[in-house]
Amino acid sequence: MPLLIQNKGLGRISSTAELFDRYPHLQENARAFHSKPLVDVDPKCLLYVQQREFAATTPADNCVSVIGSDDATTCHLVVLQHTGSGAVCLAHCDGSSTWSEVPLLVKAVTSLGNASKEGRLELHLVGGFSDDAKTSHKLSLNILGSSSLSCLVSHCNVTLTELSFEKLKNAFPLYIYGIGVNVKTGDVFPASFTHKGPAEELRSARTFTGGQMADIYDSSRGLVKIGPCKWSPNLDIAFWLSQNDDTILQYLSTSPMAEPPHFVQHMKSTIQFLLEHPTSDSLFPGGQPQLYHRTEKGDWERVVQS
C-alpha cells in the first residue's frame, strides 16, 4: 500500500523542496503547527522519549497521558497513529539507522491496534531545518522513503492515507525543539519538558556510546524498560570536560548553531556519568533491564527485582 498525501500516492521525490512545491499545504500545516502555543508538560502524566528511543501505547493507558520528546535539531520526531484503535507511537530519530528503525515503529502501532477496527495510519514529522550539510533533508527523505511505510500489511486493516508534515522549512530561529502527543485524543502539539526521566543520564549514555533505537515502554504493564546495554571503559572522553562550550558544540553536535542552551551541560553530564560508570555491568545486575513504574504521586520509581 503506498504512502499517500491527500489520498494520492506520494511517488518518488528527490528533495524536501520538491515535496513542499508539490504539496504546498504541508508548509501551511507547518505554519499552523508553529502557531500553536508551547505546552509545558506536567511530568506526572508524561512518558519522555530520548534520542534513539520510541514508545507506543493506547488511549486505555492509565499511567501515561502524554508521550513527548524534544532537543530535536537535525533529528526528527516521528508520530505514528492508528485512527481506528487510537494506538500511537512517538520516536526520536537521528538518522543512525532509519531503514531498520521505521519498521519497529509500524510494528509497535499495528501490534497494539485492535485488528477488528478499521482505520489508517497517520504520520506526523516534526523537526529538521535547512542545515548546510542537509542532514535534515536526508533524514526526511529516508523516513518518507521507507518501504515499511509504503508497504503496510493489508490483513491489519491499516492504510496510510494522510501525512501531516510539520517540518519547518525555515532556519532555526523559528525552530520547534519538542512535541507532545496526547494519547487519549491523538492531538500533537509543541511542548517543553522540565523532567526527562526516568534514568535520564543512563539513557543518554546508552545513546552516546552507540546504542541503537530501543523500545522503552511496556504499555501492557505500565513499565519503562531501560537496557540492558553495554559499553566499554573510555577514559579519553574526560578530555571534553575541560573544553569550552564552543569546542563541544563544534565537535559533538550535528547542528552547533541550533542547539538549545542546555546542550553543553547535557553532554558534560553524560560524559561524567560514563566516567563514573566505566562499564554498564553494575547498572544491570544479573543482566536484567532497569524497570520503572509510576507511583500514586505520578513519579517514575525503580522496580526492585528479585
Side-chain angles (χ1 to χ4, degrees):
M1 297 182 183
L3 181 63
L4 302 177
I5 299 180
Q6 294 184 323
N7 293 320
K8 296 180 181 179
L10 174 60
R12 186 176 181 83
I13 56 172
S14 58
S15 69
T16 51
E18 179 187 349
L19 179 70
F20 283 118
D21 289 340
R22 193 185 299 180
Y23 305 101
H25 76 282
L26 294 179
Q27 197 163 3
E28 295 171 8
N29 287 352
R31 293 192 187 99
F33 186 78
H34 182 266
S35 69
K36 290 185 176 182
L38 185 70
V39 177
D40 186 10
V41 179
D42 183 354
K44 290 179 169 45
C45 68
L46 170 68
L47 174 58
Y48 186 82
V49 172
Q50 289 201 26
Q51 187 172 341
R52 279 187 226 156
E53 293 181 347
F54 71 93
T57 190
T58 70
D61 195 322
N62 293 320
C63 299
V64 172
S65 298
V66 174
I67 306 177
S69 187
D70 65 355
D71 295 346
T73 55
T74 54
C75 292
H76 285 18
L77 305 178
V78 181
V79 175
L80 200 59
Q81 301 170 309
H82 189 268
T83 61
S85 67
V88 60
C89 175
L90 186 149
H92 189 136
C93 298
D94 62 6
S96 58
S97 185
T98 306
W99 291 94
S100 63
E101 292 169 355
V102 174
L104 301 177
L105 314 185
V106 174
K107 182 179 179 181
V109 175
T110 55
S111 65
L112 286 176
N114 186 334
S116 65
K117 289 193 174 183
E118 294 185 358
R120 63 179 184 272
L121 289 181
E122 292 186 348
L123 173 68
H124 304 256
L125 293 183
V126 181
F129 67 100
S130 297
D131 60 295
D132 292 339
K134 296 191 179 298
T135 303
S136 299
H137 294 268
K138 294 171 186 174
L139 180 53
S140 299
L141 294 178
N142 283 340
I143 293 173
L144 294 174
S146 169
S147 60
S148 293
L149 290 180
S150 57
C151 298
L152 295 168
V153 289
S154 58
H155 70 268
C156 290
N157 294 317
V158 178
T159 308
L160 188 58
T161 59
E162 183 175 337
L163 173 66
S164 298
F165 194 70
E166 284 121 13
K167 172 182 165 47
L168 294 179
K169 193 176 180 181
N170 301 307
F172 58 85
L174 298 177
Y175 201 74
I176 293 176
Y177 285 100
I179 62 168
V181 55
N182 186 316
V183 304
K184 311 299 183 184
T185 66
D187 182 43
V188 182
F189 52 89
S192 62
F193 311 95
T194 56
H195 181 72
K196 302 181 180 183
E200 179 181 359
E201 291 178 334
L202 168 59
R203 293 158 67 185
S204 297
R206 184 195 73 85
T207 303
F208 188 89
T209 55
Q212 298 302 300
M213 181 67 76
D215 182 357
I216 63 160
Y217 189 57
D218 181 346
S219 62
S220 65
R221 297 191 294 165
L223 294 177
V224 173
K225 183 179 103 169
I226 311 300
C229 49
K230 290 283 188 180
W231 60 73
S232 302
N234 181 6
L235 299 180
D236 292 340
I237 60 175
F239 162 83
W240 295 107
L241 297 181
S242 63
Q243 301 307 299
N244 61 40
D245 291 5
D246 288 343
T247 300
I248 291 175
L249 282 165
Q250 185 66 34
Y251 291 98
L252 297 184
S253 169
T254 59
S255 50
M257 298 298 293
E259 293 293 355
H262 57 265
F263 174 82
V264 171
Q265 183 55 49
H266 172 72
M267 294 305 300
K268 287 184 175 180
S269 298
T270 301
I271 290 169
Q272 186 63 49
F273 181 88
L274 286 166
L275 292 172
E276 294 171 358
H277 302 87
T279 69
S280 58
D281 296 343
S282 63
L283 299 169
F284 303 101
Q288 295 300 306
Q290 290 192 12
L291 301 177
Y292 294 83
H293 73 100
R294 176 146 269 156
T295 67
E296 292 183 358
K297 295 182 178 180
D299 302 317
W300 289 112
E301 179 181 70
R302 188 169 177 183
V303 176
V304 178
Q305 302 181 73
S306 57

Short mmCIF file of all heavy atoms in Angstrom, two decimals, residues 52-56 78 80 88-91 93 97-112 121 146 148-149 152 206 212-216:
data_model
loop_
_atom_site.label_atom_id
_atom_site.label_comp_id
_atom_site.label_asym_id
_atom_site.label_seq_id
_atom_site.Cartn_x
_atom_site.Cartn_y
_atom_site.Cartn_z
N ARG A 52 17.02 8.23 19.86
CA ARG A 52 17.10 6.80 19.53
C ARG A 52 16.27 5.94 20.48
O ARG A 52 16.65 4.84 20.85
CB ARG A 52 18.55 6.32 19.52
CG ARG A 52 19.27 6.65 18.23
CD ARG A 52 20.65 6.01 18.16
NE ARG A 52 21.62 6.98 17.72
CZ ARG A 52 22.92 6.93 17.96
NH1 ARG A 52 23.41 5.94 18.67
NH2 ARG A 52 23.73 7.85 17.51
N GLU A 53 15.13 6.47 20.84
CA GLU A 53 14.15 5.71 21.61
C GLU A 53 12.77 5.89 20.97
O GLU A 53 12.52 6.86 20.26
CB GLU A 53 14.06 6.21 23.05
CG GLU A 53 15.30 5.96 23.88
CD GLU A 53 15.16 6.46 25.31
OE1 GLU A 53 14.20 7.22 25.61
OE2 GLU A 53 16.01 6.10 26.14
N PHE A 54 11.88 4.93 21.26
CA PHE A 54 10.48 5.10 20.89
C PHE A 54 9.61 4.46 21.96
O PHE A 54 10.06 3.61 22.74
CB PHE A 54 10.18 4.53 19.50
CG PHE A 54 10.19 3.03 19.40
CD1 PHE A 54 9.02 2.29 19.56
CD2 PHE A 54 11.36 2.34 19.12
CE1 PHE A 54 9.01 0.90 19.44
CE2 PHE A 54 11.37 0.95 19.01
CZ PHE A 54 10.20 0.23 19.17
N ALA A 55 8.36 4.90 22.00
CA ALA A 55 7.40 4.35 22.94
C ALA A 55 6.03 4.35 22.28
O ALA A 55 5.71 5.27 21.53
CB ALA A 55 7.37 5.15 24.24
N ALA A 56 5.25 3.33 22.58
CA ALA A 56 3.91 3.21 21.99
C ALA A 56 2.92 2.81 23.07
O ALA A 56 3.24 2.07 24.00
CB ALA A 56 3.91 2.17 20.87
N VAL A 78 8.99 11.56 15.25
CA VAL A 78 8.05 10.84 14.39
C VAL A 78 6.88 10.35 15.22
O VAL A 78 7.08 9.65 16.22
CB VAL A 78 8.74 9.64 13.70
CG1 VAL A 78 7.76 8.91 12.78
CG2 VAL A 78 9.98 10.08 12.94
N LEU A 80 3.33 8.22 14.86
CA LEU A 80 2.53 7.34 14.02
C LEU A 80 1.30 6.95 14.82
O LEU A 80 1.41 6.42 15.93
CB LEU A 80 3.35 6.10 13.64
CG LEU A 80 2.90 5.29 12.41
CD1 LEU A 80 2.90 6.16 11.16
CD2 LEU A 80 3.81 4.09 12.22
N VAL A 88 -0.75 4.80 19.41
CA VAL A 88 0.15 5.86 18.96
C VAL A 88 1.57 5.54 19.38
O VAL A 88 1.81 4.93 20.42
CB VAL A 88 -0.28 7.23 19.54
CG1 VAL A 88 -0.27 7.21 21.08
CG2 VAL A 88 0.58 8.35 19.02
N CYS A 89 2.51 5.94 18.54
CA CYS A 89 3.93 5.73 18.81
C CYS A 89 4.66 7.04 18.54
O CYS A 89 4.38 7.74 17.56
CB CYS A 89 4.48 4.63 17.91
SG CYS A 89 6.27 4.37 18.05
N LEU A 90 5.60 7.39 19.40
CA LEU A 90 6.48 8.53 19.18
C LEU A 90 7.92 8.05 19.22
O LEU A 90 8.31 7.31 20.13
CB LEU A 90 6.26 9.62 20.23
CG LEU A 90 7.01 10.94 20.02
CD1 LEU A 90 6.21 12.13 20.58
CD2 LEU A 90 8.41 10.93 20.63
N ALA A 91 8.71 8.49 18.24
CA ALA A 91 10.12 8.12 18.16
C ALA A 91 10.97 9.36 17.94
O ALA A 91 10.53 10.33 17.31
CB ALA A 91 10.36 7.12 17.04
N CYS A 93 14.22 10.12 16.05
CA CYS A 93 15.13 9.54 15.05
C CYS A 93 16.25 10.51 14.71
O CYS A 93 15.99 11.70 14.45
CB CYS A 93 14.36 9.18 13.78
SG CYS A 93 13.06 7.95 14.01
N SER A 97 20.07 4.79 11.74
CA SER A 97 19.71 3.55 11.05
C SER A 97 18.22 3.59 10.69
O SER A 97 17.44 2.73 11.09
CB SER A 97 20.01 2.33 11.92
OG SER A 97 19.77 1.13 11.22
N THR A 98 17.84 4.59 9.91
CA THR A 98 16.43 4.85 9.65
C THR A 98 15.71 3.66 9.02
O THR A 98 14.58 3.34 9.40
CB THR A 98 16.29 6.08 8.71
OG1 THR A 98 17.01 7.18 9.29
CG2 THR A 98 14.83 6.46 8.54
N TRP A 99 16.36 2.98 8.08
CA TRP A 99 15.70 1.89 7.36
C TRP A 99 15.33 0.73 8.27
O TRP A 99 14.36 0.02 8.02
CB TRP A 99 16.58 1.41 6.21
CG TRP A 99 16.68 2.44 5.13
CD1 TRP A 99 17.66 3.39 4.99
CD2 TRP A 99 15.74 2.68 4.07
NE1 TRP A 99 17.39 4.20 3.92
CE2 TRP A 99 16.24 3.79 3.33
CE3 TRP A 99 14.56 2.08 3.68
CZ2 TRP A 99 15.56 4.29 2.22
CZ3 TRP A 99 13.89 2.59 2.57
CH2 TRP A 99 14.40 3.67 1.85
N SER A 100 16.10 0.53 9.34
CA SER A 100 15.77 -0.54 10.28
C SER A 100 14.88 -0.04 11.42
O SER A 100 14.25 -0.84 12.11
CB SER A 100 17.05 -1.15 10.87
OG SER A 100 17.78 -0.19 11.63
N GLU A 101 14.82 1.28 11.61
CA GLU A 101 14.04 1.83 12.72
C GLU A 101 12.56 1.97 12.38
O GLU A 101 11.69 1.64 13.20
CB GLU A 101 14.61 3.20 13.11
CG GLU A 101 15.99 3.11 13.75
CD GLU A 101 16.65 4.47 13.89
OE1 GLU A 101 16.09 5.47 13.41
OE2 GLU A 101 17.74 4.52 14.49
N VAL A 102 12.24 2.46 11.19
CA VAL A 102 10.85 2.70 10.83
C VAL A 102 9.99 1.43 10.93
O VAL A 102 8.85 1.50 11.42
CB VAL A 102 10.75 3.34 9.43
CG1 VAL A 102 9.30 3.45 8.99
CG2 VAL A 102 11.41 4.72 9.43
N PRO A 103 10.48 0.26 10.52
CA PRO A 103 9.67 -0.95 10.69
C PRO A 103 9.29 -1.22 12.14
O PRO A 103 8.21 -1.74 12.42
CB PRO A 103 10.56 -2.06 10.14
CG PRO A 103 11.49 -1.39 9.19
CD PRO A 103 11.73 -0.03 9.77
N LEU A 104 10.17 -0.84 13.09
CA LEU A 104 9.87 -1.03 14.50
C LEU A 104 8.68 -0.17 14.93
O LEU A 104 7.83 -0.61 15.71
CB LEU A 104 11.09 -0.67 15.36
CG LEU A 104 12.38 -1.45 15.10
CD1 LEU A 104 13.52 -0.91 16.00
CD2 LEU A 104 12.17 -2.94 15.37
N LEU A 105 8.60 1.02 14.39
CA LEU A 105 7.52 1.93 14.75
C LEU A 105 6.18 1.44 14.19
O LEU A 105 5.16 1.46 14.88
CB LEU A 105 7.81 3.34 14.23
CG LEU A 105 9.22 3.89 14.47
CD1 LEU A 105 9.31 5.34 14.01
CD2 LEU A 105 9.63 3.75 15.91
N VAL A 106 6.22 1.00 12.94
CA VAL A 106 5.00 0.48 12.31
C VAL A 106 4.50 -0.75 13.07
O VAL A 106 3.30 -0.86 13.38
CB VAL A 106 5.25 0.12 10.84
CG1 VAL A 106 4.04 -0.56 10.23
CG2 VAL A 106 5.62 1.37 10.04
N LYS A 107 5.41 -1.63 13.43
CA LYS A 107 5.03 -2.84 14.17
C LYS A 107 4.47 -2.49 15.54
O LYS A 107 3.50 -3.10 16.00
CB LYS A 107 6.23 -3.77 14.30
CG LYS A 107 5.91 -5.08 15.01
CD LYS A 107 7.13 -5.98 15.09
CE LYS A 107 6.81 -7.28 15.83
NZ LYS A 107 8.00 -8.16 15.92
N ALA A 108 5.08 -1.49 16.20
CA ALA A 108 4.63 -1.11 17.53
C ALA A 108 3.17 -0.66 17.52
O ALA A 108 2.39 -1.01 18.41
CB ALA A 108 5.53 -0.01 18.09
N VAL A 109 2.80 0.12 16.51
CA VAL A 109 1.43 0.62 16.43
C VAL A 109 0.45 -0.46 16.00
O VAL A 109 -0.61 -0.63 16.60
CB VAL A 109 1.35 1.83 15.47
CG1 VAL A 109 -0.10 2.28 15.29
CG2 VAL A 109 2.19 2.98 16.00
N THR A 110 0.80 -1.20 14.97
CA THR A 110 -0.12 -2.22 14.47
C THR A 110 -0.31 -3.37 15.45
O THR A 110 -1.37 -3.98 15.49
CB THR A 110 0.36 -2.77 13.11
OG1 THR A 110 1.70 -3.26 13.24
CG2 THR A 110 0.34 -1.67 12.05
N SER A 111 0.70 -3.66 16.26
CA SER A 111 0.56 -4.74 17.24
C SER A 111 -0.33 -4.34 18.41
O SER A 111 -0.93 -5.20 19.06
CB SER A 111 1.94 -5.16 17.76
OG SER A 111 2.55 -4.10 18.49
N LEU A 112 -0.44 -3.04 18.68
CA LEU A 112 -1.30 -2.58 19.76
C LEU A 112 -2.74 -2.38 19.30
O LEU A 112 -3.66 -2.35 20.10
CB LEU A 112 -0.78 -1.26 20.32
CG LEU A 112 0.47 -1.32 21.19
CD1 LEU A 112 0.90 0.09 21.58
CD2 LEU A 112 0.23 -2.16 22.43
N LEU A 121 -3.17 4.64 9.19
CA LEU A 121 -2.04 5.22 9.92
C LEU A 121 -1.84 6.66 9.47
O LEU A 121 -1.86 6.94 8.28
CB LEU A 121 -0.76 4.42 9.67
CG LEU A 121 -0.67 3.04 10.30
CD1 LEU A 121 0.68 2.41 9.97
CD2 LEU A 121 -0.85 3.11 11.80
N SER A 146 10.87 4.98 3.38
CA SER A 146 10.94 3.66 4.00
C SER A 146 9.91 2.72 3.40
O SER A 146 8.74 3.04 3.27
CB SER A 146 10.72 3.77 5.51
OG SER A 146 10.55 2.49 6.07
N SER A 148 8.66 0.27 4.80
CA SER A 148 7.69 -0.11 5.81
C SER A 148 6.49 0.82 5.82
O SER A 148 5.42 0.46 6.26
CB SER A 148 8.35 -0.13 7.19
OG SER A 148 9.30 -1.15 7.27
N LEU A 149 6.68 2.05 5.36
CA LEU A 149 5.55 2.97 5.27
C LEU A 149 4.79 2.79 3.96
O LEU A 149 3.60 3.03 3.89
CB LEU A 149 6.04 4.42 5.38
CG LEU A 149 6.56 4.84 6.75
CD1 LEU A 149 7.00 6.29 6.72
CD2 LEU A 149 5.49 4.66 7.83
N LEU A 152 2.49 -1.43 3.84
CA LEU A 152 1.87 -1.85 5.08
C LEU A 152 1.02 -3.09 4.84
O LEU A 152 0.37 -3.23 3.82
CB LEU A 152 1.00 -0.73 5.65
CG LEU A 152 1.78 0.51 6.08
CD1 LEU A 152 0.84 1.67 6.35
CD2 LEU A 152 2.61 0.20 7.30
N ARG A 206 23.61 5.53 26.98
CA ARG A 206 23.37 4.45 26.03
C ARG A 206 23.46 4.97 24.60
O ARG A 206 24.11 4.35 23.74
CB ARG A 206 21.99 3.84 26.28
CG ARG A 206 21.65 2.63 25.41
CD ARG A 206 20.17 2.32 25.45
NE ARG A 206 19.40 3.30 24.69
CZ ARG A 206 19.20 3.23 23.38
NH1 ARG A 206 19.72 2.23 22.67
NH2 ARG A 206 18.48 4.15 22.76
N GLN A 212 21.47 1.51 19.74
CA GLN A 212 20.54 1.63 18.62
C GLN A 212 19.13 1.95 19.13
O GLN A 212 18.87 1.99 20.33
CB GLN A 212 20.54 0.34 17.80
CG GLN A 212 21.89 0.01 17.18
CD GLN A 212 22.38 1.13 16.27
OE1 GLN A 212 21.73 1.48 15.29
NE2 GLN A 212 23.54 1.70 16.60
N MET A 213 18.22 2.20 18.19
CA MET A 213 16.83 2.52 18.53
C MET A 213 16.26 1.46 19.47
O MET A 213 16.37 0.26 19.21
CB MET A 213 16.00 2.61 17.27
CG MET A 213 14.54 2.97 17.49
SD MET A 213 14.27 4.63 18.12
CE MET A 213 14.54 5.63 16.65
N ALA A 214 15.63 1.92 20.56
CA ALA A 214 15.12 0.99 21.57
C ALA A 214 13.70 1.35 21.97
O ALA A 214 13.35 2.53 22.12
CB ALA A 214 16.02 1.01 22.80
N ASP A 215 12.88 0.32 22.16
CA ASP A 215 11.53 0.47 22.67
C ASP A 215 11.63 0.54 24.19
O ASP A 215 12.12 -0.39 24.84
CB ASP A 215 10.70 -0.75 22.25
CG ASP A 215 9.25 -0.67 22.70
OD1 ASP A 215 8.89 0.30 23.40
OD2 ASP A 215 8.48 -1.58 22.35
N ILE A 216 11.18 1.65 24.79
CA ILE A 216 11.40 1.83 26.23
C ILE A 216 10.15 1.60 27.08
O ILE A 216 10.21 1.79 28.29
CB ILE A 216 11.95 3.24 26.52
CG1 ILE A 216 10.92 4.31 26.12
CG2 ILE A 216 13.28 3.45 25.84
CD1 ILE A 216 11.16 5.65 26.79
#
